[in-house]
Amino acid sequence: VTTSLTQLRIDRERLLSRLDALGEIGAIDGGGVCRLALTQIDGEGRDLVVSWMHDLGLRVEVDGVGNVVGTWPADRFDAPVMTGSHIDTVATGGRFDGNLGVLAGLEVLETVIRAGVETARPLAVAFFTNEEGARFAPDMLGSLVFAGGLPLEVALDTVAIDGAVLAEELDRVGYVGTLPCPARPPRAFVELHIEQGPILEAEGVTIGVVTGVQGISWHELVFSGQSNHAGTTPIDMRHDAALVAALTVVAVRRLTETTPGLVGTVGRIDLHPDLVNVVAARASITVDLRHADDDVLTEAERTILEQVGEMAAAEGVTFESSRLARFEPVTFDPAVVGLVEQVAVEHGHTARRLASGAGHDAQILARVCPAAMIFTPSVRGISHNPAEYTEPEDLEAGANVLLDVMLRLAGAGGDQSRGGDGS
Ligand code: GLV
Ligand code: MN
Ligand code: MN
């Protein structure tokens, strides 16, 4: 790619106005968004992004799990340099998590198209189904199916926390597509995302060069005790499922205090019957454990389950555990990581290498092609919260680094690889 091509720049106002427009769909108090995967609202968000893809003249394809890929030029079928992310959110999400990566990708393609630039490889922007995992587990479900890490039939049978079946919801929003999955791997994958943590802002750095993603373990634990009267049941005669759930919350925190680098969260607690004067018969909780070293993560899982077993036995409560998600730590492609860093520095930005604490579709794409990520700062490190915010100049900087990285990966000019096998 010639110097003149790498001097192309995205249109910040166009990117911001698309972020605003998508953020209106499922908007909640505090400036956030609730667009849980494959709900009606997610369907509306999908339709808007797909309409923008059509406006740009992309070839828009949908696969069997509802992943959407827009490719430019529309008549090129060889492996593209791909970007993308997700537009589903957690129920109390912000406007940037995932959405930035998709809309910056769209902005990159629009910039290239308007400039009349031809690249040796096609360019593509994708959004993947159910990245968040807040409605259907596991998270990154769509990219997993895309990359061959989860059979399509298993994904389609997944039951949501609200009891809905994924295949039915996909059909209802109109996103059952015909593109085969697993998909043919892209040439490369680069995802722009907000950091969702405090490091870049604290250090005054504009571009995060993401080296990899820590391992993720999700379990659901269901405790079964006995409901009884809160006033009459002697403490030593109780089988209190809520107590064991609470002890587990504490055990997870204690383990993080003695295991350097471990983070652990109990993000959901459901009690039954959930009444003021009834000892809980059942408690269902989730445990999210993450660490950069897979052996440490495995040991942490084992330790928590052992402690839960002891605490439950002491209370005369039984429990069942089921694994909702398990991802090994991922190291991104050194060449693409190096390219991100080089481009960030050439653009005059401060840059810093860091690992991602959050899960991302790029970590799944890394199984099938060279992949990397670009982070932009998150104000006060806040995410999965309506207050999530990134300054417009940082969004612009990140999108321009994405543009330049994609152009360099796609190579200059012409159609020398048209009809090629993408190898
Ligand atoms: C996805 O957002 C995750 O890291 O939980
Ligand atoms: Mn995300
Ligand atoms: Mn998220």
Side-chain angles (χ1 to χ4, degrees), residues 277-357:
N277 55 355
V278 183
V279 175
R282 203 176 69 243
S284 156
I285 70 171
T286 55
V287 178
D288 174 321
L289 297 172
R290 307 192 192 203
H291 198 278
D293 181 328
D294 204 54
D295 292 339
V296 176
L297 186 57
T298 300
E299 179 61 16
E301 290 176 299
R302 199 197 56 72
T303 302
I304 285 298
L305 288 177
E306 183 181 292
Q307 292 179 358
V308 164
E310 289 165 6
M311 296 181 303
E315 182 69 5
V317 163
T318 61
F319 84 101
E320 283 176 43
S321 80
S322 52
R323 176 171 270 181
L324 298 178
R326 182 66 166 84
F327 298 99
E328 289 179 9
V330 171
T331 302
F332 284 132
D333 184 84
V336 187
V337 171
L339 180 60
V340 169
E341 187 165 51
Q342 180 194 333
V343 167
V345 170
E346 282 180 26
H347 283 211
H349 300 308
T350 46
R352 175 204 205 279
R353 289 185 177 230
L354 79 174
S356 173

Side-chain angles (χ1 to χ4, degrees), residues 86 88-90 97-98 131-132 193 196 358-360 383-384 388:
H86 60 98
D88 67 314
T89 72
V90 297
D97 179 356
E131 189 277 344
E132 290 291 6
H193 205 285
Q196 310 181 272
H360 297 291
S383 186
H384 283 185
E388 185 180 277

